[in-house]
C-alpha cells in the first residue's frame, strides 16, 4: 500500500493560484527578540569603512572584513576608534557604555549613514551573524540593507548540538564545518560524544591502550542487520590526538562555542574494558563492540576503577576549558554488579539498598572529583536513578519526565527529548527520504518544541537552562548523511533555543528559511532538500486536479510524473501550473524530483490524489 504524506485538498469552482507567500524583509534565523523597521536603505559598496571603537571589538570587526573579502572581494582595512560624523559609509563595532545583564545580548542598528553593532564580544559576534544573513551570497557592486533597529538576546544559555563519534568518527575538518554553521545560527555548545562501546576516540597519554586497542573494532554491523547480527567484515577505527582536540577546542572558541566532552561511565564502556579488562567485574576477555545496543559489561565500582577514571578525567579536563564535563550515566545494566562480590561489598559498606543506589554512589564519587577540579557534572537522565548527585545537571532524553523531576529537586536541566531532538530519526515518510532510520521528526515537529514544561512553577522553570539536538551515528557513516539529517532541522532548533516562545510561528519561519537554502548550498552543505510548495495543496475541480508548484530553493528545477513512476530528468522541467484528469478507478500518484542549481537531487516526493466520488 502506498504511503504518502498528509495532504490537504482544496475544492473550488474556479481555477486558483497557489497562495502567495508574504515577503519577509529580514530573513534572520533565529528570530530576533525585537525588530523595528523603517523605510529606506543603507547603500553599501566597496568603499565602506569598518571601525572597531575599542580593543574588545577588533576581532569581530576583522571577521566582517574577512567575510566581505570572501563573498564580495572587497579589500577593506580596519580603522580604530569611532568615525567622524561626516563619514556616511561606515560600519562600527563597539562595546556598550553600560554593563549588560546578558553577555550575549546585542543591538544591530542599520541607518542611512551606516551600521552599528553594539555588545560585548559575544554579543557583537551574534550581531555580526544577523548582519551577515542580510548580505547577498553572490558578489554585487552595491548592497542595500533595510533600515532596521534590532535588540536581541537569547532565551537559553545552553543552545547545543551533540555529535556521536564513538560509533562512527569524523574528521577534524568536518567538525569545524559543523562548528561554522552552529555559529551562524547562534548555537553555543558542542557536545562531543567521545567514548562508546564501539570505540574510544580520545587520546589519553597515561593509558595508551585506550586508543591502541579501544579505538578499533574488528567489524561493524552490516546495513541494518542488528538482530540477527551480520557484520561487514571490515576493521574500523581511529581516534583524535590531544593536539587535534586542542585544535577543535581553540577553533570553537573563535566561534563562541564551548566544547563539552562526554566520557561515558559506568556503562557504554566496553571499548575501555577491552583495553583494560581489570576495570570490569568479570575477567573477560572483552572486545570492542561490533554491534549496536546495550552491553552487560560495565565498569566495576572498585578503587582501581575510580583511580583510572580520575586519571582519565584529569587529562580530559586539561584539554577542555568548558564549565561542564558530561559523564553519560545512561543505559548501564546492573547484571554484573548483582553478581559481583566486590560490588555487593561496596553496597554493604556504604549502606546502599540496591544497584541503582550503587550507580548513584558511583556518579557522586565522580562528581566530587570533577567539582574539585572546578568543573560541573552533567549526565543523561538515568543519573536520577538511586538519587541525584548534589550539583549535577540533568540532560533529559527519555522524554521530559527526567528534566521535570530534576527541576523540581532544584537541579539545572538541559532538555533533549527523543521525540523532538534526535536528529538520526527520519524527516518524512520512508519512501520519500534519502536516508530513513526510523521515526519521523519533521522540520515543523522540531520547531514546535517548547523546552519549558508548563507543569513547573516559575522558579522550577528557571532551572531549564537550555535545549540540544542530538546526532547518533550508528547508521550515519559519512559526512553527507550527517549533513542531510542535521540541516535544515538545526535551524529550527536554533530558533527554539534562542527566540522567545510567544514570538515563534512556523509559517513565518518557513518564509525566513527560504534564502538560507541558498546559503547552505554555497557552503556545500548536503542538506535535505525540502518538499516543493504546493504539493500538499492540490486543487480539485470536478474531475480535474490543478498542480501549482514552487521550489523553496531558488533556481531549482522540478520534474513531475503523474503515473507513479520516478520523474525523468530528460523530460521538460515543470514551468507552470498543470491540470490533470482524476480517475474513479485508481488514485493518481504525483511524484516530484527537485534538482538544485548545483545538480544535487532530492529524494522523490509524492502525493496520492483521491478518487473521483
Amino acid at each position: 500500500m502506498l504511503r504518502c504524506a498528509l495532504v490537504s485538498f482544496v475544492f473550488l469552482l474556479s481555477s486558483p493560484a497557489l497562495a502567495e507567500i508574504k515577503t519577509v524583509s529580514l530573513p534572520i534565523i533565529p528570530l530576533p527578540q525585537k525588530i523595528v523597521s523603517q523605510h529606506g536603505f543603507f547603500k553599501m559598496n566597496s568603499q565602506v569603512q569598518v571601525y572597531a571603537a575599542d580593543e574588545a571589538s577588533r576581532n569581530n570587526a576583522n571577521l566582517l572584513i574577512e567575510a566581505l573579502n570572501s563573498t564580495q572581494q572587497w579589500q577593506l582595512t580596519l580603522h580604530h576608534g569611532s568615525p567622524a560624523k561626516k563619514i556616511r559609509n561606515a560600519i562600527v563595532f563597539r562595546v556598550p557604555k553600560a554593563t549588560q545583564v546578558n553577555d550575549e545580548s546585542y543591538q544591530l542598528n542599520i541607518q542611512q549613514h551606516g551600521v552599528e553593532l553594539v555588545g560585548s564580544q559575544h554579543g557583537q559576534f551574534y550581531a555580526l551573524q544577523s548582519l551577515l544573513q542580510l548580505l547577498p551570497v553572490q558578489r554585487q557592486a552595491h548592497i542595500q540593507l533595510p533600515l532596521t533597529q534590532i535588540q536581541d538576546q537569547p532565551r537559553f544559555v545552553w543552545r547545543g548540538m551533540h555529535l556521536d563519534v564513538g560509533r562512527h568518527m569524523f574528521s577534524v575538518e568536518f567538525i569545524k564545518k559543523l562548528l561554522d554553521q552552529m555559529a551562524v545560527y547562534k548555537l553555543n555548545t558542542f557536545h562531543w560524544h567521545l567514548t562508546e562501546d564501539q570505540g574510544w576516540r580520545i587520546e589519553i597519554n597515561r593509558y595508551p591502550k585506550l586508543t591502541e586497542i579501544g579505538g578499533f573494532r574488528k567489524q561493524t554491523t552490516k546495513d541494518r542487520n542488528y538482530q540477527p547480527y551480520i557484520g561487514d567484515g571490515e576493521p574500523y577505527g581511529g581516534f583524535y590526538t590531544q593536539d587535534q582536540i586542542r585544535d577543535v577546542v581553540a577553533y570553537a572558541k573563535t566561534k563562541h562555542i564551548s566544547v563539552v566532552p562526554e566520557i561515558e561511565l559506568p556503562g557504554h564502556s566496553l571499548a575501555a574494558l577491552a583495553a583494560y579488562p581489570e576495570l570490569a567485574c568479570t575477567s573477560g576477555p572483552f572486545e570492542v563492540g561490533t554491534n549496536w545496543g546495550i552491553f552487560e559489561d560495565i565498569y566495576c565500582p572498585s578503587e582501581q576503577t575510580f583511580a583510572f577514571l580520575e586519571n582519565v578525567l584529569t587529562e580530559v579536563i586539561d584539554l577542555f576549558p568548558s564549565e561542564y564535563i558530561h559523564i553519560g550515566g545512561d543505559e548501564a545494566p546492573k547484571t554484573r554488579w548483582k553478581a559481583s562480590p566486590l560490588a555487593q561489598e561496596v553496597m554493604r559498606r556504604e549502606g546502599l539498598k540496591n544497584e541503582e543506589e550503587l550507580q548513584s554512589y558511583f556518579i557522586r564519587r565522580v562528581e566530587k572529583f570533577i567539582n574539585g577540579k572546578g568543573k560541573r557534572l552533567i549526565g543523561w537522565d538515568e543519573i536520577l536513578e538511586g538519587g541525584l548527585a548534589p550539583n549535577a545537571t540533568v540532560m533529559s532524553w527519555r522524554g521530559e519526565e527526567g528534566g521535570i523531576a530534576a527541576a523540581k529537586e532544584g537541579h539545572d536541566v538541559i532538555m533533549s527529548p527523543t521525540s523532538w531532538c534526535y536528529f538520526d530519526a527520519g524527516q518524512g515518510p520512508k519512501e520519500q527520504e534519502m536516508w530513513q532510520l526510523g521515526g519521523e521528526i519533521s522540520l515543523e515537529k522540531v520547531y514546535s518544541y517548547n523546552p519549558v514544561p508548563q507543569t513547573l512553577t516559575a522558579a522550577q522553570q528557571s532551572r531549564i537552562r537550555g535545549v540540544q539536538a542530538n546526532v547518533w551515528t550508528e547508521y550515519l557513516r559519512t559526512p553527507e548523511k550527517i549533513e542531510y539529517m542535521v540541516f535544515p532541522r538545526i535551524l529550527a532548533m536554533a530558533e527554539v533555543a534562542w527566540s522567545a516562545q510567544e514570538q515563534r510561528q512556523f509559517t513565518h519561519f518557513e518564509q525566513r528559511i527560504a534564502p538560507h537554502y541558498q546559503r547552505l548550498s554555497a557552503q556545500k552543505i548536503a542538506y535535505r532538500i525540502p518538499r516543493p510548495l504546493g504539493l500538499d495543496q492540490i486543487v480539485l475541480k470536478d474531475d480535474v486536479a490543478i498542480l501549482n508548484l514552487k521550489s523553496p530553493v531558488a533556481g531549482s528545477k522540478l520534474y513531475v510524473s503523474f503515473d507513479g513512476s520516478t520523474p525523468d530528468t530528460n523530460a521538460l522541467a515543470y514551468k507552470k501550473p498543470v491540470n490533470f484528469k482524476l480517475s474513479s478507478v485508481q488514485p493518481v500518484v504525483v511524484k516530484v524530483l527537485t534538482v538544485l542549481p548545483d545538480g544535487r537531487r532530492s529524494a522523490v516526493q509524492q502525493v496520492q490524489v483521491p478518487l473521483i466520488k
Side-chain angles (χ1 to χ4, degrees), residues 6-58:
L6 180 65
V7 180
S8 62
F9 295 96
V10 182
F11 296 82
L12 294 178
L13 298 177
S14 60
S15 177
L18 182 66
E20 278 191 16
I21 293 177
K22 293 181 180 179
T23 301
V24 178
S25 59
L26 294 179
I28 296 175
I29 295 175
L31 178 68
Q33 185 180 69
K34 183 179 180 181
I35 301 174
V36 178
S37 296
Q38 301 169 326
H39 294 293
F41 296 90
F42 165 56
K43 298 178 180 180
M44 184 170 72
N45 56 37
S46 60
Q47 302 306 307
V48 68
Q49 298 183 40
V50 180
Y51 286 82
D54 39 66
E55 287 299 313
S57 303
R58 185 176 297 182

Side-chain angles (χ1 to χ4, degrees), residues 404-565:
I404 291 171
K408 287 181 176 179
E409 291 183 25
H411 289 263
D412 286 348
V413 174
I414 309 301
M415 284 296 193
S416 193
T418 308
S419 297
W420 291 275
C421 302
Y422 270 44
F423 283 9
D424 47 311
Q427 301 175 69
K430 186 173 183 178
E431 67 277 3
Q432 299 182 53
E433 291 294 314
M434 300 291 286
W435 296 288
Q436 165 60 283
L437 308 178
E440 190 172 317
I441 304 177
S442 66
L443 182 70
E444 184 172 7
K445 178 71 180 290
V446 174
Y447 193 83
S448 72
Y449 184 50
N450 180 3
V452 179
Q454 299 306 300
T455 56
L456 298 176
T457 66
Q460 293 165 349
Q461 288 179 348
S462 70
R463 288 293 185 174
I464 309 300
R465 305 294 288 164
V467 64
Q468 177 173 287
N470 296 327
V471 182
W472 301 98
T473 64
E474 287 92 337
Y475 302 105
L476 301 177
R477 190 164 186 163
T478 66
E480 292 76 20
K481 287 186 177 182
I482 295 290
E483 291 176 354
Y484 180 91
M485 303 306 272
V486 169
F487 299 95
R489 289 188 289 190
I490 199 66
L491 280 69
M493 184 58 70
E495 193 146 307
V496 169
W498 181 281
S499 304
Q501 178 68 22
E502 62 274 12
Q503 291 181 297
R504 296 195 294 112
Q505 296 180 18
F506 184 68
T507 53
H508 187 204
F509 175 78
E510 275 192 306
Q511 296 167 44
R512 284 182 289 113
I513 199 176
H516 289 263
Y517 293 120
Q518 190 177 16
R519 294 181 180 279
L520 293 172
S521 291
Q523 296 299 319
K524 301 189 184 304
I525 302 290
Y527 58 88
R528 178 186 183 268
I529 299 170
R531 188 174 177 87
L533 301 174
L535 186 56
D536 296 329
Q537 290 84 34
I538 292 177
V539 177
L540 306 181
K541 180 188 174 184
D542 299 327
D543 63 344
V544 174
I546 306 164
L547 180 68
N548 191 356
L549 298 178
K550 180 181 178 181
S551 172
V553 185
S556 298
K557 293 182 178 180
L558 302 177
Y559 296 88
V560 183
S561 71
F562 296 93
D563 59 1
S565 64

Side-chain angles (χ1 to χ4, degrees), residues 24 34 97 181 262-263 282 288 301 366 389 436 576 613:
V24 178
K34 183 179 180 181
K97 295 177 182 179
Q181 295 306 312
E262 181 175 353
I263 307 298
T282 64
V288 179
V366 174
Q436 165 60 283
K576 59 183 181 180
K613 295 182 180 179

